[in-house]
C-alpha cells in the first residue's frame, strides 16, 4: 500500500471523526485530572436503552485492541504480557483491550486450563493497573457444548474481578449458524445467571448467530430478567458492508445495545474505504470497538509484522498496513 494514499485515508477518518464530535464537545463534563485513570473517569459501563453510558449518563464509544487466540503454540499467546498492554495504552491511546481465551480448539482452555486462564488474568491485571477497560472473552464457536465449563470460569472471574469497573464479560465470541432462541439464548441465560449471583452489575456482552452478525435475531428475542446486557456485532471490512450496517441499525432501533468486540480491516489492500464507513458508523452510534488482532501471524489482520517484538516498543516499520490503519483510528478516536 502506498503510504501517501494510506495517510490520506487516515486523515479523512480523523477529520470525519473530529467534525462529528465538535458539536457535542461542550457536553463533556467528565473531569479529567492527571491522577485519575480513564476507568475512574467513566466508571462502570451501563446499558441504557440501545446505548452504553458512563457513570454520569453519557453515551460512550471506546476504541482499542483485541488480543489473538490465547491457545498454546498458536503464536498470539506470546503477546499476552503487561508490556504490550502498557505499550498499547501509551503509544496507541488504547482505552480497551480484549483477552480472547480460546476454548475448544487444540491448546485452548479445555486442553490446558491453567496457562490459558493465566494469560487472561495477566491481561486483566495489566488493564486494571493501566486504568483501561478489558473484555474477558470466552473465545468459542461452540460454547453451548460446554456450558458448565463457562459457568465455572466466569464464576471465578466474577469473584476475582467483579468489583472492578474495568471488567466486561463476553460470554460467547462467535456462535455459528445456530438458533438464537433455542440454543444461544438459553446458554447465555445460564452463564449470565451464574455471573449475576456474584457480580450484580458489570456489563455482559452476548454473541449472536452466524459469527456475531445476526444481531437482528437477538433484537427480535432479547434476554430479559437481567440488566446490563449488550449484544455482539463483528465485522471484517472485506466481507461486511452497508447491508450489515443496515441490519445493525435495525437492531439498534428495536432497542438493543451493540458492542463491536472484534473488527478487522482489509489491511493489505490499497484503500480500505469500508473501514472509514464503519468507523463513522461506530462513532455516530456511540459503539465501542476492538481491532483484531495483536499478533504477528502472516495474515491480513495482524497488527505487527512477523518477528516483531512480543513486548511492544514497535516502530512504524514493525506495524503491518492493518496495524497502521488500526493505530491511526485508535490513536485519534474521540473519547
Ligand atoms: Mg461488579
Amino acid at each position: 500500500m502506498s503510504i501517501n494514499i494510506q495517510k490520506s485515508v487516515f486523515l479523512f477518518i480523523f477529520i470525519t471523526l473530529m467534525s462529528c464530535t465538535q458539536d457535542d464537545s461542550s457536553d463533556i463534563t467528565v473531569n479529567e485530572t492527571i491522577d485519575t485513570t480513564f476507568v475512574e473517569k467513566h466508571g462502570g459501563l451501563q446499558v441504557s436503552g440501545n446505548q452504553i453510558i458512563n457513570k454520569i449518563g453519557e453515551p460512550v464509544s471506546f476504541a482499542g485492541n483485541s488480543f489473538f487466540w490465547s491457545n498454546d503454540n498458536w503464536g498470539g499467546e506470546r503477546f499476552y504480557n503487561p508490556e504490550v498492554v502498557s505499550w498499547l495504552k501509551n503509544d496507541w491511546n488504547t482505552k480497551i483491550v480484549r483477552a480472547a481465551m480460546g476454548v475448544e480448539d487444540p491448546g485452548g482452555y479445555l486442553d490446558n486450563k491453567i496457562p490459558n486462564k493465566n494469560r487472561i488474568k495477566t491481561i486483566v491485571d495489566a488493564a486494571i493497573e493501566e486504568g483501561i477497560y478489558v473484555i474477558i472473552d470466552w473465545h468459542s464457536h461452540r460454547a453451548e457444548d460446554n456450558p458448565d465449563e463457562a459457568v465455572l470460569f466466569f464464576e471465578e472471574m466474577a469473584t476475582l474481578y467483579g468489583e472492578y469497573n474495568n471488567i466486561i464479560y463476553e460470554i460467547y465470541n462467535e456462535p455459528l449458524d445456530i438458533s438464537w432462541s433455542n440454543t444461544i439464548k438459553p446458554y447465555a441465560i445460564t452463564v449470565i445467571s451464574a455471573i449475576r449471583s456474584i457480580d450484580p452489575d458489570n456489563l455482559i456482552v452476548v454473541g449472536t448467530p452466524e459469527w456475531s452478525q445476526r444481531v437482528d435475531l437477538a433484537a427480535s428475542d432479547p434476554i430479559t430478567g437481567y440488566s446490563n446486557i449488550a449484544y455482539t456485532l463483528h465485522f471484517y471490512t472485506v466481507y461486511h458492508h452497508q447491508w450489515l450496517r443496515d441490519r445493525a441499525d435495525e437492531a439498534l432501533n428495536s432497542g438493543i445495545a451493540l458492542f463491536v468486540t472484534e473488527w478487522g480491516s482489509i489491511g493489505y489492500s490499497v484503500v480500505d474505504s469500508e473501514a472509514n464507513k464503519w468507523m463513522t458508523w461506530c462513532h455516530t452510534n456511540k459503539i465501542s470497538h476492538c481491532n483484531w488482532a495483536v499478533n504477528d501471524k502472516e495474515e491480513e489482520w495482524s497488527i505487527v509484522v512477523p518477528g516483531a517484538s512480543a513486548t511492544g516498543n514497535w516502530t512504524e516499520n514493525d506495524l503491518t498496513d492493518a496495524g497502521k490503519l488500526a493505530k491511526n483510528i485508535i490513536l485519534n478516536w474521540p473519547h
Side-chain angles (χ1 to χ4, degrees):
M1 184 190 297
S2 152
I3 294 299
N4 286 337
I5 292 173
Q6 207 176 32
K7 279 183 177 166
S8 68
V9 174
F10 298 161
L11 191 61
F12 179 57
I13 292 170
F14 178 69
I15 290 169
T16 304
L17 294 173
M18 288 300 122
S19 62
C20 287
T21 50
Q22 274 183 346
D23 290 344
D24 58 17
S25 61
S26 60
D27 294 332
I28 295 174
T29 52
V30 171
N31 293 319
E32 296 193 31
T33 71
I34 199 160
D35 297 325
T36 307
T37 71
F38 190 73
V39 169
E40 284 170 341
K41 280 184 283 179
H42 288 280
L45 302 179
Q46 291 290 324
V47 171
S48 175
N50 65 357
Q51 293 186 304
I52 294 172
I53 61 173
N54 64 12
K55 68 180 182 183
I56 60 167
E58 295 171 335
V60 289
S61 165
F62 303 145
N65 303 82
S66 176
F67 283 76
F68 192 72
W69 300 76
S70 68
N71 303 49
D72 300 352
N73 302 317
W74 284 26
E77 78 276 17
R78 297 183 300 113
F79 294 86
Y80 277 76
N81 58 68
E83 291 81 6
V84 169
V85 175
S86 181
W87 182 258
L88 290 170
K89 179 204 168 189
N90 293 315
D91 193 58
W92 289 47
N93 198 32
T94 289
K95 302 301 189 192
I96 180 169
V97 290
R98 177 183 189 237
M101 192 177 73
V103 178
E104 297 95 355
D105 299 277
Y109 178 68
L110 297 184
D111 254 6
N112 200 7
K113 286 186 179 171
I114 300 299
N116 278 280
K117 187 162 61 186
N118 283 345
R119 286 174 198 130
I120 302 314
K121 289 164 66 177
T122 294
I123 298 305
V124 173
D125 291 341
I128 292 170
E129 177 69 24
E130 298 289 350
I132 61 175
Y133 291 92
V134 58
I135 299 173
I136 300 175
D137 165 30
W138 188 254
H139 204 72
S140 169
H141 293 300
R142 303 190 301 278
E144 67 279 4
D145 291 349
N146 299 288
D148 294 346
E149 293 284 2
V151 163
L152 286 171
F153 173 77
F154 281 107
E155 283 176 343
E156 183 177 348
M157 293 298 110
T159 302
L160 284 172
Y161 297 120
E163 69 185 280
Y164 294 97
N165 287 331
N166 312 67
I167 306 301
I168 298 163
Y169 307 99
E170 183 179 9
I171 63 174
Y172 195 161
N173 165 47
E174 288 186 351
L176 303 180
D177 184 7
I178 59 172
S179 169
W180 165 259
S181 294
N182 297 326
T183 305
I184 302 168
K185 186 178 174 183
Y187 161 86
I189 289 172
T190 298
V191 179
I192 291 168
S193 172
I195 293 172
R196 284 290 179 255
S197 70
I198 298 167
D199 177 359
D201 50 10
N202 283 54
L203 179 64
I204 300 175
V205 187
V206 183
T208 56
E210 297 177 29
W211 296 267
S212 288
Q213 273 120 55
R214 293 302 303 271
V215 287
D216 55 320
L217 297 175
S220 67
D221 183 19
I223 292 165
T224 56
Y226 295 93
S227 62
N228 216 15
I229 310 296
Y231 300 86
T232 310
L233 174 69
H234 286 177
F235 63 83
Y236 284 80
T237 61
V238 65
Y239 306 122
H240 305 123
H241 305 142
Q242 188 60 45
W243 59 269
L244 186 55
R245 288 190 291 277
D246 291 342
R247 181 188 287 170
D249 281 334
E250 288 178 23
L252 289 170
N253 289 338
S254 79
I256 66 170
L258 301 179
F259 206 113
V260 176
T261 59
E262 188 181 307
W263 74 275
S265 69
I266 295 175
Y268 290 130
S269 67
V270 176
V271 175
D272 193 345
S273 61
E274 203 63 36
N276 191 18
K277 292 175 186 171
W278 271 113
M279 287 302 128
T280 300
W281 182 86
C282 285
H283 179 259
T284 301
N285 291 291
K286 293 290 185 185
I287 291 176
S288 296
H289 49 88
C290 292
N291 176 255
W292 181 265
V294 179
N295 199 11
D296 69 344
K297 182 180 175 183
E298 198 157 10
E299 66 177 15
E300 56 268 52
W301 300 296
S302 296
I303 63 169
V304 290
V305 299
S309 161
T311 52
N313 289 306
W314 303 312
T315 67
E316 286 300 295
N317 289 336
D318 291 322
L319 303 181
T320 62
D321 288 341
K324 291 171 186 167
L325 178 68
K327 181 180 178 182
N328 198 278
I329 290 167
I330 295 166
L331 188 63
N332 295 304
W333 196 255
H335 289 105

